[in-house]
Amino acid sequence: MSETMTAGRLGEVMAELAVLEDPKMREANEKRGDDHGVNLSKLRAVAKRLKTQQELARELWATNDTPARLVALLICRPKAFERDELDAMLREARAPKVHDWLVNYVVKKSPHAEDLRVAWMADPDPVVASAGWALTSERVAKKPAGLDLPGLLDIIEAQMRDAPDRLQWAMNHTLAFIGIEHPEYRARALDIGERLEVLKDYPTPPNCTSPFAPIWINEMVSRQATA
């Protein structure tokens, strides 16, 4: 696709996203730290129509506009990004939804995921570190071989209670996944959760599982037993 065609398509997508902007939705999203007012189902429909377009994805990302970046993450080729490119994108992705989609829809599918997981977990920026913990949760559940699960529990026990919100949330996921997927560490995971009380009072809608680790672990283990 030529630069002229890409630029034209970029303008069309940006105009379409601008039309979808809803001030009331923006107000609700901004309370969660997300600076956009576009309904995500409608945004996904835009991306579905565009299909995979890596060049356009890069152009949309470069706009620094949250809805455009969300579309970019849906139409890109995850394996086409270099390791340093993904690292730079993660550090730019301050909106929670962009951060979440980047990690889950792109980085997890990248051949650089493990390298980035290790680097990000050690990063002093808690938002960057939270991405490392999100990738660690994925490994705990799907590819635990080689992970030091007792060591992860040591870090969680020492740091999770006082961690910033997004890092705390990601560490809590790892704690829960260790308890759910690894029976030999379940008692310790439950004990850590009970003592730290992280997210114990988190408002949970009816018919949803609380993110409080002991409740979450016990609920999922119970479901597995009756499946």
Side-chain angles (χ1 to χ4, degrees):
M1 185 179 292
S2 69
E3 287 188 16
T4 301
M5 291 178 65
T6 304
R9 182 60 61 85
L10 174 64
E12 291 173 5
V13 176
M14 295 301 292
E16 186 170 2
L17 292 173
V19 171
L20 294 176
E21 175 76 17
D22 180 341
K24 290 184 178 180
M25 184 164 289
R26 173 177 283 273
E27 183 179 354
N29 284 336
E30 285 181 342
K31 293 178 182 178
R32 297 187 290 269
D34 280 308
D35 56 343
H36 76 91
V38 177
N39 178 284
L40 293 181
S41 294
K42 294 179 180 179
L43 185 145
R44 288 180 183 275
V46 172
K48 185 176 181 179
R49 191 183 70 251
L50 292 170
K51 300 181 180 179
T52 302
Q53 297 190 49
Q54 182 66 11
E55 289 183 46
L56 179 58
R58 283 196 166 100
E59 292 289 334
L60 287 165
W61 183 269
T63 65
N64 198 28
D65 176 75
T66 291
R69 285 187 161 182
L70 293 174
V71 172
L73 297 171
L74 295 174
I75 69 170
C76 71
R77 292 187 182 89
K79 295 180 180 180
F81 294 106
E82 296 297 329
R83 185 255 187 224
D84 289 348
E85 188 174 10
L86 289 172
D87 182 69
M89 291 169 69
L90 192 280
R91 294 174 190 280
E92 295 172 4
R94 308 314 286 188
K97 187 63 67 176
V98 174
H99 181 276
D100 181 57
W101 283 20
L102 174 60
V103 172
N104 287 289
Y105 297 166
V106 181
V107 179
K108 285 183 179 179
K109 299 176 182 178
S110 166
H112 308 293
E114 180 60 14
D115 181 30
L116 290 169
R117 181 189 76 82
V118 174
W120 288 344
M121 280 193 74
D123 199 278
D125 183 333
V127 175
V128 174
S130 73
W133 280 92
L135 295 173
T136 299
S137 295
E138 174 90 350
R139 273 206 59 190
V140 166
K142 298 182 178 180
K143 297 180 180 179
L147 284 178
D148 178 8
L149 298 181
L152 289 173
L153 290 173
D154 288 344
I155 296 171
I156 291 168
E157 186 172 19
Q159 301 179 14
M160 183 173 72
R161 178 182 287 168
D162 298 322
D165 288 351
R166 284 162 71 177
L167 178 55
Q168 184 185 73
W169 184 268
M171 294 175 83
N172 184 70
H173 270 63
T174 301
L175 175 65
F177 282 17
I178 291 174
I180 293 164
E181 302 293 341
H182 301 278
E184 65 273 34
Y185 300 114
R186 186 169 297 150
R188 187 179 175 202
L190 288 167
D191 177 65
I192 290 171
E194 291 286 1
R195 283 188 292 104
L196 298 188
E197 298 187 337
V198 168
L199 301 176
K200 184 176 183 178
D201 299 320
Y202 191 84
T204 305
N207 301 318
C208 291
T209 302
S210 169
F212 179 47
I215 294 176
W216 187 359
I217 292 167
N218 286 325
E219 174 66 22
M220 297 309 295
V221 171
S222 175
R223 290 184 193 180
Q224 291 171 356
T226 57

